[in-house]
Amino acid sequence: MDPRRLIESLLAWQADPLPGPPVLAVPEAPAAEVIAAARRLVLPDLPLERPHPAPRPELLRVATALVVDEHPSAHSWSAADRELLASWVAVLIEHRGEDGVQELVRALNRT
């Protein structure tokens, strides 16, 4: 199967949340703290004419599923905070891929 079609099919698939603890191995934190960490990692990579996150929709879904929904504090954040964090994480993934997510995990574990 073509990799692009495989990714599209995975993104279109909506799995039910699994019971148990979140997968992201970071401490609980307020949304503002996590958003600030993601923003700090993204800003050096953004072109000057794009000072705010403008995520690609497919990466927004990946960021939400793999990072935002898996944060141990996500259940207590507002929908607006979750969306904003997903936007920053999606741009981080766009610019740095999995390495960006790992940098975010390390940054969250330092705080």
Side-chain angles (χ1 to χ4, degrees):
M1 175 182 264
D2 171 10
R4 182 178 294 261
R5 287 188 14 193
L6 174 62
I7 291 170
E8 287 172 356
S9 69
L10 289 172
L11 292 173
W13 179 62
Q14 297 294 317
D16 293 328
L18 297 173
V23 176
L24 204 59
V26 297
E28 292 194 21
E33 227 175 78
V34 181
I35 292 166
R39 187 175 182 274
R40 278 191 304 274
L41 291 170
V42 170
L43 285 177
D45 291 336
L46 284 182
L48 292 176
E49 65 274 2
R50 188 174 145 194
H52 301 288
R56 295 186 352 220
E58 64 273 16
L59 291 179
L60 189 58
R61 291 190 298 269
V62 169
T64 299
L66 298 180
V67 178
V68 178
D69 289 349
E70 293 303 327
H71 193 284
S73 300
H75 66 279
S76 65
W77 299 339
S78 71
D81 284 340
R82 292 170 55 87
E83 287 176 27
L84 182 57
L85 176 59
S87 294
W88 284 112
V89 172
V91 174
L92 181 63
I93 292 169
E94 178 182 350
H95 288 272
R96 298 191 194 175
E98 174 65 19
D99 290 343
V101 174
Q102 292 305 318
E103 288 177 43
L104 178 59
V105 168
R106 283 191 297 275
L108 294 174
N109 280 316
R110 283 191 296 265
T111 58

